[in-house]
Amino acid sequence: MKWTATATATANLAFGLLLPAAAATAASMLQPRSTTLTHRAETTAVNATDGDWEAFETGYLTGTWELFKRGEWVNLSGTGYIRVRWEVEYWQEVGPIYEATFGNVTDTFLLVAGGGGYQFSDTPQTCAMGTGCVNYTGAAEYGYSYWPDGFDPWRNMFYYLDGSVTIINHESGGLYNVAVEAISYDDMLSDVNTAPADSGNQITYGYSYDPADGSCPCEE
């Protein structure tokens, strides 16, 4: 999928990513398969040109540009890959999650892969907080947050940028954090190819959307 400034003013982080049940099953650790993940040009470093964000500190969600509160934003420009890492803070407040948006897109901006070991609809092996977690958006003691539009992000969402884009946090109701950083193709490939483990949050291989949908392990 290719977005241009004339095609749309704003696109949500999912770009319409509502994975059907069959796709979610194919991405499980029981059915890994070899899939291509396109290696696009990485010619100009992706940097922030403007914005209102929080700088990374020890203990924060890993990233360079931290969008923790409603209204925080960053404008990025360059040619390369970015990682958007999600955290749902259900232990702080649960409710509907109004996800961050991508706006002011110029030239090319693509959803290319999902990784980080899980999607938020997966059942955790260990709860981040509380007990009896059905998925990554809540626990028995706190209740559950949810995406009204059915969005089901991976912990790490990977995008390719050749131009510029503005990412804005629209937090309201269920609290969440979004951490954004530039990342190399090699590091992205390593992420999506990390094998599932019997403990922790590495539940499944990642998923490729570029050039076509397919579960990993992935190859260039």
Side-chain angles (χ1 to χ4, degrees):
M1 184 178 297
K2 180 173 181 178
W3 291 92
T4 67
T6 57
T8 184
T10 302
N12 79 1
L13 283 176
F15 290 116
L17 176 61
L18 303 176
L19 289 184
T25 299
S28 76
M29 63 182 178
L30 299 178
Q31 300 176 356
R33 67 172 185 260
S34 182
T35 304
T36 299
L37 179 55
T38 303
H39 189 175
R40 297 178 180 271
E42 301 171 82
T43 56
T44 306
V46 175
N47 287 308
T49 58
D50 199 3
D52 178 15
W53 67 84
E54 300 183 34
F56 175 78
E57 295 183 13
T58 302
Y60 280 8
L61 191 64
T62 302
T64 304
W65 306 288
E66 310 279 6
L67 308 182
F68 287 167
K69 302 180 182 67
R70 181 179 178 86
E72 292 184 333
W73 62 283
V74 62
N75 188 77
L76 302 177
S77 181
T79 302
Y81 292 93
I82 65 172
R83 183 185 72 189
V84 176
R85 173 167 286 182
W86 277 86
E87 178 183 55
V88 176
E89 287 189 304
Y90 60 80
W91 53 91
Q92 297 291 345
E93 186 174 350
V94 296
I97 300 172
Y98 299 101
E99 67 256 28
T101 56
F102 287 146
N104 301 321
V105 177
T106 65
D107 299 322
T108 302
F109 190 54
L110 305 170
L111 169 64
V112 295
Y118 62 86
Q119 285 182 273
F120 278 82
S121 62
D122 290 331
T123 300
Q125 297 181 122
T126 303
C127 298
M129 291 283 185
T131 60
C133 303
V134 174
N135 57 41
Y136 282 88
T137 70
E141 295 90 335
Y142 302 99
Y144 288 82
S145 291
Y146 62 94
W147 281 273
D149 60 2
F151 182 37
D152 183 19
W154 292 81
R155 179 190 185 204
N156 293 335
M157 300 285 284
F158 297 100
Y159 301 87
Y160 179 74
L161 175 66
D162 182 12
S164 62
V165 63
T166 301
I167 307 175
I168 306 174
N169 183 317
H170 295 282
E171 181 181 66
S172 178
L175 300 186
Y176 67 85
N177 296 319
V178 168
V180 183
E181 68 176 341
I183 191 170
S184 69
Y185 174 87
D186 288 342
D187 286 345
M188 176 179 67
L189 191 64
S190 176
D191 181 302
V192 299
N193 283 343
T194 301
D198 293 332
S199 62
N201 289 321
Q202 193 65 36
I203 295 173
T204 180
Y205 287 101
Y207 201 85
S208 172
Y209 301 99
D210 183 22
D213 285 12
S215 57
C216 295
C218 294
E219 59 187 15
E220 186 174 338

